[in-house]
Amino acid sequence: MTTDTHTVTTSGRTSDSASHSASDSAFEPTAGIAAAEAARTRLDFAKAAPEVYRAIIRFDAAARAGLDPALVELIQIRASHLNHCAYCLHMHTNDARKAGESEDRLHLVAVWREARHFFTPKEQAALALTEAVTLIADGGVPDPVYAEAAAHFEERELAQVLSLILTINTWNRVALATGKVAGTDERTG
């Protein structure tokens, strides 16, 4: 049996992860986040295209209006998983926690089909629609997925859910294309 060891440097301290004891402090990524942000070389989209950026903010606000905040975060988290957007995933899991979402549900969003009992039928329909719209090139939005969503949402609410899926996909693409760093949040600074 081989033990995989990695050297981890945090706060100027180096430790061998194989011998990392429970009494040692937990890994603190703050220094790594700051270094990654300082090394970032891509444009600041908000500064380079402020009117477009503000339009996306308005679109996002209009999309989420009237939707259950828990559902909003589940949709944003699932799309961010699918798009591999660590920046948005970090932001929206933190937002969900602040809104009272359980750790169990947050951990299971990526595999919701295998953990359906953690999610309401309405949430499941929204997650399936999120996947279909996010991965639209893989076969469009299948009629059964759309029909299930339409069975759980009134027409206006369904339009809001679709709009939210579109906005998070836009945000994911902005974050990925501009090299946003997970752990930073421009909303706070």
Side-chain angles (χ1 to χ4, degrees):
M1 181 174 170
T2 308
T3 303
D4 184 21
T5 62
H6 301 282
T7 301
V8 178
T9 304
T10 58
S11 306
R13 186 179 82 232
T14 302
S15 67
D16 182 14
S17 63
S19 62
H20 190 75
S21 72
S23 65
D24 290 340
S25 63
F27 175 72
E28 178 54 54
T30 306
I33 292 168
E37 184 63 17
R40 200 170 147 245
T41 60
R42 297 190 181 183
L43 69 84
D44 181 331
F45 187 79
K47 288 182 182 171
E51 290 189 28
V52 174
Y53 185 78
R54 285 191 299 270
I56 299 170
I57 290 172
R58 287 190 305 273
F59 180 27
D60 184 271
R64 66 180 62 224
L67 291 177
D68 174 25
L71 181 67
V72 167
E73 295 307 333
L74 292 175
I75 289 168
Q76 294 180 126
I77 290 166
R78 186 61 188 131
S80 297
H81 282 143
L82 295 169
N83 288 320
H84 302 260
C85 185
Y87 175 81
C88 293
L89 186 59
H90 182 267
M91 180 187 302
H92 294 297
T93 54
N94 281 337
D95 289 350
R97 280 183 192 95
K98 289 174 190 168
E101 187 59 78
S102 76
E103 288 298 318
D104 283 340
R105 284 172 35 107
L106 289 176
H107 292 296
L108 295 171
V109 173
V111 292
W112 66 269
R113 282 186 175 80
E114 291 77 25
R116 289 178 184 269
H117 56 284
F118 280 88
F119 303 96
T120 68
K122 188 174 187 175
E123 290 168 338
Q124 292 174 43
L127 290 168
L129 186 63
T130 300
E131 290 175 355
V133 173
T134 300
L135 303 173
I136 203 153
D138 292 347
V141 177
D143 288 338
V145 170
Y146 185 86
E148 185 67 19
H152 289 281
F153 296 95
E154 293 179 13
E155 192 171 270
R156 184 181 190 297
E157 191 177 24
L158 181 57
Q160 296 295 118
V161 167
L162 282 169
S163 297
L164 182 66
I165 296 166
L166 299 176
T167 61
I168 188 57
N169 275 279
T170 299
W171 286 125
N172 288 165
R173 282 151 177 77
V174 168
L176 289 164
T178 62
K180 296 296 288 179
V181 175
T184 61
D185 185 344
E186 63 193 28
R187 300 174 305 174
T188 61

